[in-house]
Amino acid sequence: MMRTAAIDCGTNSIRLLIADIEDGVLTDVVRLMRVVRLGEGVDATGRLSEAALGRTFAAAEEYAALIEQHGAPPVRFVATSASRDAENRKVFVDGIRARLGVEPEVVSGDEEARLSFDGAVSVLATADDETVLVIDLGGGSTEFVAGTTEGLIAARSTDMGCVRYTERFLQDDPPSPAQIEAMTAEVGRLMDEAAAEVPLERITKIVGVAGSVTTVTAHALHLPGYDPDRIHGAELTTDAILAAASDLLHLSRDARAALPYMHPGRVDVIGAGALIWMSIVERVTAVTSGRVATAIASEHDILDGIALSLAERDG
């Protein structure tokens, strides 16, 4: 058995997983998320703001203390879209190194995709003849990853995410029809680019990970609160996903905030995340001629992939 500490620092949140891994099976010790909005304004300015850095460094200090409390296991810190895009990312890298004593890896979109796939499929039963599409819908980017039990087939990272596209397109509350139309067109364009590399027509199963997907799932299930056990592995029809996502997209900010399963840090960006998720599910259903007409939500994602990669490296 090996204990590891994985940190995923994305555009909207920074998450910690301290886990025990034995024979490729991961058992949570600590799993935490803090919404720090590191990517706030990056799409427009190309820089990480001082306020966003301050929020992220405070979370990193909290995580450093927890890691120490749980035996100081090996740590891998992975940073994704916002950090890739920022011209002042050295300030971020130096600040994380000072607080955690580890070099943060600002990973490529391809590496992010591989880690997301490994984490998502690690806990889902997949037949040998299935081609799984994992969608990692983040704050600044969305990864399309296709693979089988033998490994990856193709992957594409696209610069669309719930924070980036809220800032770029959905400024009104609720968003106007013109804003939704403009964002839908851009999502379609990036899906065309992804489809040129990832064989969507071969897909037999869709798995969606990250907060936008799990929140749409909670909304479709009408949960009385956020319940990871009910969300993880939930398989919804395309129609159910489209209905729930469309509802979230058109709700006012106050109405979204009142939902019992809505994280406060996701209230203002869930509309964009919902639009991206429904567009992807609808596209795959269409290109497979309805053969794939459901999608599965997974609570296990890139964070689990990071932890498993540590075990492979150091085990």
Side-chain angles (χ1 to χ4, degrees), residues 36-187:
V36 296
R37 197 61 61 82
L38 177 62
E40 185 175 56
V42 169
D43 188 57
T45 68
R47 295 179 61 83
L48 301 168
S49 72
E50 289 187 13
L53 286 166
R55 294 190 296 266
T56 305
F57 292 156
E61 289 168 4
E62 177 189 6
Y63 290 176
L66 284 168
I67 291 167
E68 184 67 25
Q69 289 171 21
H70 288 86
V75 179
R76 186 178 183 190
F77 186 112
V78 167
T80 53
S81 177
S83 310
R84 285 197 297 267
D85 296 345
E87 63 184 42
N88 63 333
R89 69 181 185 181
K90 186 178 185 301
V91 178
F92 166 75
V93 170
D94 290 347
I96 293 299
R97 187 192 305 112
R99 288 162 175 83
L100 283 159
V102 64
E103 190 75 14
E105 302 173 49
V106 183
V107 298
S108 68
D110 287 347
E111 173 69 357
E112 182 178 0
R114 184 186 68 79
L115 291 168
S116 296
F117 185 86
D118 290 347
V121 302
S122 67
V123 292
L124 293 174
T126 302
D128 290 343
D129 60 348
E130 286 189 301
T131 301
V132 180
L133 175 68
V134 172
I135 300 294
D136 183 355
L137 202 174
S141 67
T142 296
E143 281 64 50
F144 294 71
V145 199
T148 68
T149 55
E150 299 297 316
L152 295 189
I153 295 171
R156 176 65 183 260
S157 180
T158 59
D159 281 339
M160 61 178 174
C162 60
V163 174
R164 187 190 298 273
Y165 274 18
T166 298
E167 293 179 353
R168 189 181 295 185
F169 293 105
L170 306 185
Q171 292 89 10
D172 290 349
D173 176 27
S176 69
Q179 291 169 353
I180 292 172
E181 182 180 359
M183 180 177 159
T184 300
E186 184 64 4
V187 171

Side-chain angles (χ1 to χ4, degrees), residues 1 51 60 81 86 95 138 174 270 278 294:
M1 189 270 289
S81 177
I270 187 58
M278 66 188 286
T294 63

